[in-house]
Amino acid sequence: MATFVDGPARVSVPATSANLGPGFDAFGLALSLRDELEAEVLTEGLVVDVAGAGADGVPRDETHLVVRAMRAAFELMGEQPPGLRLSCRNVIPHARGLGSSSAAIVAGVVLARGLVAGGQLLASDEALFDLAADLEGHPDNVAAAFYGGFVISGREADRWFAVRAGVDPRITAVVFVPPDGVETTVARGLLPDLVPHAEAAANSGRAALLVAAITGQPEHLLAATRDWLHQDQREPAMPKTLELVRSLRADGVPAVVSGAGPTVLAFGSADTTDLLARCPRGWTPHELSIDVEGARLT
């Protein structure tokens, strides 16, 4: 039987950007924009407090995504607590392609383990990542949120895998967040069932180049972030997003749709002044670094 710790557990979890152009459903990058959560075992009941991004649109009961993730992790470790208090301070925008749902899931499983005495022995990092990816349904954002940095992930022989790769310290990121979101299910619904072989081959080559560019040769980022599989196909749901991506790329800026959109991620360098000035009216820019830590108990 699991034994619960006295007092709260606190976790910090980063925003993430998936795909990065050609790495569809495989590449994830953690960014220095973090949600902060706290949880504590109670003698009974459930108390959920949410402030910040998305606070008006999320439930305060067992259907809250963090609570669902915590319940799944407690089940993995063999015991449910009699009651829970959860407090969320959200910074990651919701429905913008910055991994808010993956952050919630990863925060939930890490918090649950932090509330169990000897939780590391009952649920390894690999087991928690597997659970989080199962809950999300795909691993790219979850892997980056859990492990931090640049992560290549997927599924092999009925198991999820996640492999971290280095990030060149010269690389920074600017994200341009539009005022209105696009649900991932809508964005995925626009993707075709089949793509031409030549485009798939071209995309594979650019994805390979992107690994080299991010890990140590950022001068190749513009060519490496070219995509054939998903960005143009999603234009009907986010025309202003694709307009900004094309405008930036035409001027030599390695810009991509962040995840399922509609946020735009642009890779930068030490001086991003000119890049920040490209933010469309009504959008919100964030100048970020690559977050190499991932989810952590604080």
Side-chain angles (χ1 to χ4, degrees):
M1 290 178 59
T3 303
F4 301 106
V5 302
D6 293 328
R10 300 176 182 89
V11 69
S12 173
V13 61
T16 52
S17 182
N19 303 329
L20 310 178
F24 182 66
D25 276 2
F27 292 174
L29 191 67
L31 302 170
S32 59
L33 195 67
R34 284 179 166 266
D35 286 350
E36 307 283 342
L37 300 90
E38 179 180 290
E40 186 174 14
V41 172
L42 303 178
T43 56
E44 62 178 6
L46 174 66
V47 179
V48 179
D49 175 56
V50 185
D56 294 339
V58 297
R60 265 61 168 184
D61 56 22
E62 290 284 347
T63 63
H64 189 284
L65 187 54
V66 176
V67 176
R68 286 161 48 200
M70 293 182 74
R71 294 297 190 196
F74 285 130
E75 182 177 342
L76 178 69
M77 292 181 286
E79 182 124 356
Q80 292 290 341
L84 274 177
R85 176 185 64 81
L86 172 67
S87 176
C88 308
R89 298 294 175 264
N90 296 337
V91 176
I92 303 169
H94 285 209
R96 298 297 193 279
L98 287 169
S100 60
S101 65
S102 288
I105 291 168
V106 168
V109 299
V110 172
L111 274 175
R113 185 172 68 179
L115 288 172
V116 173
Q120 288 276 1
L121 299 176
L122 297 172
S124 66
D125 282 355
E126 291 79 8
L128 279 195
F129 165 66
D130 278 344
L131 177 60
D134 281 339
L135 292 169
E136 179 74 321
H138 51 91
D140 44 8
N141 290 98
V142 163
F146 191 84
Y147 291 111
F150 173 45
V151 189
I152 303 152
S153 60
R155 194 165 178 85
E156 176 70 22
D158 298 324
R159 291 295 301 273
W160 301 107
F161 67 84
V163 179
R164 292 191 71 196
V167 178
D168 191 293
R170 292 170 289 178
I171 296 175
T172 60
V174 172
V175 295
F176 302 102
V177 183
D180 300 314
V182 173
E183 293 297 332
T184 301
T185 51
V186 174
R188 282 188 174 270
L190 293 169
L191 300 181
D193 293 330
L194 301 172
V195 296
H197 187 275
E199 292 183 2
N203 210 80
S204 296
R206 299 306 172 98
L209 180 61
L210 184 53
V211 175
I214 290 178
T215 56
Q217 300 178 70
E219 64 271 19
H220 296 295
L221 276 170
L222 181 61
T225 49
R226 174 78 190 276
D227 164 74
W228 281 266
L229 293 185
H230 68 100
Q231 294 192 155
D232 289 344
Q233 292 87 339
R234 288 167 162 167
E235 185 172 9
M238 53 191 92
K240 292 182 179 179
T241 293
L242 271 299
E243 180 183 349
L244 179 57
V245 167
R246 291 181 186 128
S247 174
L248 289 168
R249 294 186 67 83
D251 291 335
V253 177
V256 297
V257 177
S258 181
T263 291
V264 172
L265 179 143
F267 288 107
S269 55
D271 185 2
T272 56
T273 304
D274 292 342
L275 191 51
L276 289 167
R278 301 290 295 271
C279 187
R281 184 183 301 274
W283 292 41
T284 303
H286 296 275
E287 187 176 12
L288 304 173
S289 60
I290 310 308
D291 192 308
V292 297
E293 286 193 270
R296 63 174 187 263
L297 289 173
T298 60

